[in-house]
Amino acid sequence: MFRGRGIALKLALIFVVAGVVPMATLGFVGYRLARDSMTETSTEFFVQRVAVDTANNLDVIATNKREATRLLAWSTPLRDNVYELLGSAEGSARHDAALSLIRADLNNWVDVLGTVDLLAIVRPDGTISATNSRARPTRTGFFADTPPGQPRNLWDREDSNPLAGYSVANRVWWPKTAEHEVILIDSHREPLVIESYGYPRFLDEDVDKVERDRIKNPEAYTFAFAVGIPNPPGIDEAGGPISSQATLVAFHNWTAIQDHLDAVNESFAHHERYHSAYTFLFAYDANTIIAHYYRRLYDGKLVEDHGLADFRDAMVKARDRTGTYRYVYRKEKISGFAPVDSTGWEVGFGINVEDFNGPVVRLRNLIIGWSLGVAALIVVLVAFFSPRITRPIRELIAQAREIARGNLDARVAIDSHDEVQELGASFNAMAEELKESNKKLIEAEKRAAWQEMARQVAHEIKNPLTPIKLSAQLIEKAWRDEHPDFERILRDGVRNIVSQSDSLRQIAADFSDFASFPKRNLEPQRLLPLVESVVQLYSNREETGVEVSVEALAGADVEVKVDANELRRVFINLFNNALEAMPEGGRLTVSLLPLEDDEGRAVIDIRVKDTGCGIAPELTERLFEPYFTTRSSGTGLGLAIARKTIEGYGGTISLQSAVGEGTSVCITLPIHLG
Ligand code: ADP
Ligand code: MG
């Protein structure tokens, strides 16, 4: 796209660097800042706040249950009836009446509280003397035979409580009930409740999913409060007016806790960003999972099952305080944690880090996409506009090349209304000036050439005119004086005049040849007869004193492609030059020899050799220049014309000479091969 468009490429680079790089850098830095500040500050604050809120709410719920338990234990009817029950013999009418009243009271409370599974009156020796006989109204019906909300008895016969006489003295929490007014029993899975409600008993590895969900249903879990039941008012015993006659143990159903965690989960479940958030609850050991959005994680251990010992340590270290912890559990997560004051449980609230990073990641992607888009747009725009920007420049380049090639009429047409247009205008002006001065130069050269020519012509013509005039005057004088030798004088004079006239004609012919480039008529010609026909003209040996001969070697009778008259004139000039070099007579030899030239072409080599005066070697190249002559009557054009003619046939001509020995002109012509 940018080939031969250096300017366009540079423009694109400038725009991309100037526009996209700062934007991308700013975006990247902004992205880092936003990501760090959001995850480090807001996220930590957020997860901590939710953990604290949840812990506070659980604290309220637990306190509620505890106070409800205390309220029941301290209520007057229960204190009186328990006093009555424990003070009467088993099987007596008083005993049965008290038991019946207590049972009715407890059943009533189970209904009223709604979330308690079992209310048990426990004697100081740890044996159970009374419980409710009505089942907690279940909501799901998962474990109940009756539809949700309908009252149901735990046993068929109310008066035969299977739990009566059952001892809890072996429970780890039992001794503590003697020491404290109220204690939390974190039993979680209480066999008494499991038996009474028919909850599944064991958790094998082998159980299928349905069975596991039954076991790990929050409804099958409990937390309990144990409260001492004071003596009835006015009864003063050794322990004082409120010393316990028995203990009320209230097993609250775990749904009260899990429901609240689920409510927190639910509040985030549909949030577009925080839907991955979930809550969980650890026992006081900060290790055992006692509530979780995922029920299957119930009873799991943070350290042993999930390898998050650091998380446990962080919570233990921050004991009674809130904090955050980052960890990887499938995905990178951050959790806030906070203790439930009244129970010592640890609440956790976790969220996937990517949820928080989502917007900043989108911001980053937006920046990347935007940068790429802008870069692409710039490239497209530059690709689109660069021809408009560079076309005038390329036009300038093209026209400058035209001028360099010699076309001075080259002009640029630029309509860009900018500096390039100015450049184009001055280019055109420059071209115009160049053309103008070139024209003047040519005219000056022409004028100089014609002046030179005229001077030469005048000079050449003047030379023969003098002897003609002298001869004519001589004849006239002899005739007037009636000279006795008049006849000879007349003959000599006329001969001179004729010869000088011939010379004039020759001068005229040479000039006209040189100036007019007569039209050539190239045709294959046999060379040997042509040479012989010229030699014929010079055969009058008495007149010239020169012996002319032709030597043709074997294979020299070849054809050449030439203009016969033109080539003949070349030879005439060469022969004339030779005769003029041998005024006292001599020998003129023409030899023909077929050869191969340097390039392997078949050529015929023609040598015209005389035994004349010769010429100094340093002059030999200059002889071929026009107007170079050593003769007063010469034009100096003969050899110049000869060279132009021979080279026009694709041949060569050269001259070797030795002063006093003679001269040899060497011509080669390509052989015409049919
Ligand atoms: P011109 O014959 O009018 O002088 P040419 O071009 O024919 O002009 O020859 C140029 C010059 O070259 C001659 O003046 C002469 O000095 C020299 N020249 C040419 N041919 C010969 C030759 N065969 N021997 C000696 N000099 C020669
Ligand atoms: Mg000549």
Side-chain angles (χ1 to χ4, degrees):
M1 179 165 47
F2 290 110
R3 181 167 304 162
R5 295 186 188 174
I7 291 178
L9 195 60
K10 280 170 199 153
L11 279 180
L13 267 178
I14 288 169
F15 282 129
V16 168
V17 169
V20 177
V21 169
M23 188 172 70
T25 311
L26 187 71
F28 186 70
V29 172
Y31 157 73
R32 292 295 293 262
L33 282 177
R35 190 191 65 182
D36 293 349
S37 67
M38 285 189 81
T39 53
E40 297 306 320
T41 317
S42 332
T43 314
E44 288 187 2
F45 181 73
F46 173 75
V47 293
Q48 272 188 48
R49 273 321 310 167
V50 178
V52 168
D53 284 353
T54 307
N56 287 345
N57 288 339
L58 291 183
D59 195 41
V60 169
I61 292 168
T63 306
N64 230 322
K65 304 297 176 196
R66 187 189 65 198
E67 292 312 312
T69 309
R70 194 206 303 275
L71 190 68
L72 172 55
W74 286 29
S75 69
T76 311
L78 191 70
R79 287 155 78 164
D80 290 349
N81 290 331
V82 167
Y83 188 73
E84 198 54 25
L85 184 76
L86 299 183
S88 59
E90 238 175 274
S92 67
R94 256 182 79 199
H95 186 274
D96 285 353
L99 190 61
S100 176
L101 286 170
I102 290 171
R103 187 160 56 224
D105 199 11
L106 296 182
N107 281 345
N108 186 41
W109 279 100
V110 166
D111 279 345
V112 168
L113 292 173
T115 62
V116 66
D117 283 324
L118 205 61
L119 294 168
I121 311 293
V122 186
R123 289 196 191 90
D125 66 357
T127 55
I128 292 173
S129 57
T131 68
N132 55 309
S133 64
R134 196 84 60 77
R136 176 178 61 90
T138 58
R139 288 170 309 170
T140 64
F142 196 86
F143 298 110
D145 300 332
T146 45
Q150 292 216 351
R152 180 174 73 96
N153 286 327
L154 286 173
W155 307 289
D156 297 341
R157 281 168 51 90
E158 286 202 359
D159 50 353
S160 65
N161 184 347
L163 299 182
Y166 185 96
S167 176
V168 293
N170 62 343
R171 300 288 202 274
V172 286
W173 46 268
W174 178 248
K176 294 191 190 125
T177 59
E179 297 162 22
H180 301 278
E181 183 211 341
V182 54
I183 66 160
L184 168 72
I185 303 169
D186 211 358
S187 73
H188 221 46
R189 269 175 80 78
E190 172 51 49
L192 274 175
V193 177
I194 289 169
E195 287 298 323
S196 305
Y197 281 79
Y199 294 149
R201 255 171 191 274
F202 304 110
L203 179 59
D204 287 336
E205 288 300 313
D206 292 340
V207 294
D208 64 15
K209 185 179 180 303
V210 175
E211 185 62 11
R212 193 188 64 197
D213 287 348
R214 263 164 59 81
I215 295 167
K216 295 213 168 181
N217 189 309
E219 281 191 66
Y221 289 78
T222 58
F223 66 109
F225 289 100
V227 182
I229 303 171
N231 286 325
I235 306 275
D236 192 11
E237 281 200 356
I242 60 158
S243 93
S244 302
Q245 50 180 334
T247 301
L248 172 66
V249 183
F251 292 97
H252 296 275
N253 195 272
W254 192 246
T255 51
I257 302 300
Q258 182 63 54
D259 278 359
H260 183 67
L261 296 188
D262 286 350
V264 175
N265 284 330
E266 185 62 20
S267 69
F268 288 102
H270 305 293
H271 192 282
E272 62 164 321
R273 270 165 57 191
Y274 306 144
H275 53 80
S276 76
Y278 59 96
T279 51
F280 40 94
L281 190 64
F282 301 100
Y284 181 76
D285 62 4
N287 188 26
T288 309
I289 298 167
I290 55 177
H292 201 286
Y293 178 72
Y294 297 110
R295 311 300 201 244
R296 60 189 149 75
L297 298 178
Y298 265 56
D299 302 327
K301 302 283 186 186
L302 191 58
V303 178
E304 293 83 347
D305 296 337
H306 302 297
L308 292 170
D310 289 347
F311 193 1
R312 194 265 321 268
D313 294 345
M315 284 189 282
V316 170
K317 206 172 147 199
R319 183 63 82 193
D320 300 333
R321 277 187 295 114
T322 177
T324 58
Y325 183 71
R326 264 169 176 273
Y327 58 104
V328 175
Y329 186 69
R330 298 214 172 95
K331 288 185 168 180
E332 191 187 1
K333 295 180 195 302
I334 184 164
S335 271
F337 55 84
V340 180
D341 289 341
S342 63
T343 63
W345 300 331
E346 285 281 349
V347 172
F349 175 74
I351 191 164
N352 290 346
V353 170
E354 68 180 16
D355 285 8
F356 272 92
N357 282 348
V360 274
V361 168
R362 274 200 295 281
L363 174 71
R364 184 197 58 193
N365 292 346
L366 194 75
I367 290 163
I368 292 173
W370 183 251
S371 304
L372 289 179
V374 169
L377 189 71
I378 287 171
V379 168
V380 168
L381 283 179
V382 169
F384 182 73
F385 282 111
S386 68
R388 280 148 216 261
I389 297 167
T390 56
R391 193 189 298 130
I393 294 170
R394 275 180 285 140
E395 165 82 358
L396 268 172
I397 294 169
Q399 297 308 326
R401 288 211 181 108
E402 267 302 294
I403 286 190
R405 218 177 287 136
N407 176 11
L408 297 183
D409 287 324
R411 295 290 182 275
V412 293
I414 294 173
D415 189 23
S416 59
H417 304 290
D418 55 14
E419 291 86 343
V420 182
Q421 192 183 27
E422 275 176 38
L423 182 61
S426 39
F427 176 90
N428 285 346
M430 188 193 74
E432 191 61 43
E433 269 171 31
L434 199 62
K435 189 184 171 188
E436 204 55 42
S437 58
N438 197 50
K439 212 165 97 187
K440 282 183 191 147
L441 196 69
I442 289 171
E443 274 171 10
E445 268 178 13
K446 266 190 197 160
R447 200 180 308 121
W450 280 114
Q451 279 170 351
E452 172 69 10
M453 195 77 129
R455 195 182 59 76
Q456 198 78 22
V457 171
H459 174 73
E460 301 306 339
I461 287 173
K462 200 172 67 193
N463 280 345
L465 284 181
T466 309
I468 288 175
K469 186 184 169 193
L470 286 175
S471 297
Q473 285 172 339
L474 192 67
I475 293 168
E476 197 227 1
K477 188 170 181 285
W479 179 72
R480 213 185 321 114
D481 296 349
E482 293 177 2
H483 197 286
D485 220 2
F486 175 74
E487 214 168 296
R488 185 191 56 83
I489 292 171
L490 179 68
R491 203 172 50 236
D492 288 356
V494 169
R495 201 179 56 227
N496 275 341
I497 288 169
V498 168
S499 104
Q500 293 306 314
S501 302
D502 285 348
S503 171
L504 272 175
R505 193 188 302 119
Q506 181 61 42
I507 290 165
D510 281 355
F511 271 114
S512 114
D513 277 2
F514 186 73
S516 67
F517 306 108
K519 217 174 172 201
R520 274 198 182 139
N521 187 18
L522 296 189
E523 274 174 357
Q525 300 284 339
R526 279 180 65 203
L527 181 64
L528 190 56
L530 190 144
V531 171
E532 280 169 344
S533 74
V534 178
V535 167
Q536 183 67 36
L537 295 175
Y538 294 86
S539 57
N540 188 354
R541 192 182 156 189
E542 290 86 63
E543 192 59 20
T544 58
V546 173
E547 194 180 322
V548 186
S549 64
V550 179
E551 291 172 11
L553 273 85
D557 189 5
V558 295
E559 286 197 329
V560 288
K561 202 172 180 189
V562 297
D563 181 314
N565 283 330
E566 202 177 36
L567 187 59
R568 215 175 265 121
R569 282 202 297 276
V570 169
F571 283 119
I572 288 173
N573 182 50
L574 294 182
F575 285 17
N576 280 348
N577 285 349
L579 294 189
E580 279 156 12
M582 300 181 285
E584 312 298 327
R587 180 183 293 274
L588 177 60
T589 324
V590 183
S591 56
L592 301 179
L593 170 71
L595 282 179
E596 269 193 4
D597 72 358
D598 299 344
E599 285 149 35
R601 284 184 311 168
V603 295
I604 182 84
D605 181 293
I606 309 151
R607 263 159 222 246
V608 179
K609 199 172 169 200
D610 64 57
T611 54
C613 59
I615 188 161
E618 63 269 19
L619 290 178
T620 49
E621 244 335 281
R622 291 200 56 204
L623 306 185
F624 292 96
E625 289 172 10
Y627 311 127
F628 181 88
T629 180
T630 57
R631 285 188 275 275
S632 58
S633 65
T635 61
L637 288 169
L639 285 179
I641 291 167
R643 172 163 277 184
K644 207 174 74 174
T645 306
I646 296 299
E647 288 181 350
Y649 301 151
T652 62
I653 180 167
S654 60
L655 182 146
Q656 289 98 41
S657 187
V659 177
E661 282 177 27
T663 304
S664 168
V665 178
C666 172
I667 292 173
T668 64
L669 282 174
I671 295 174
H672 180 72
L673 301 165

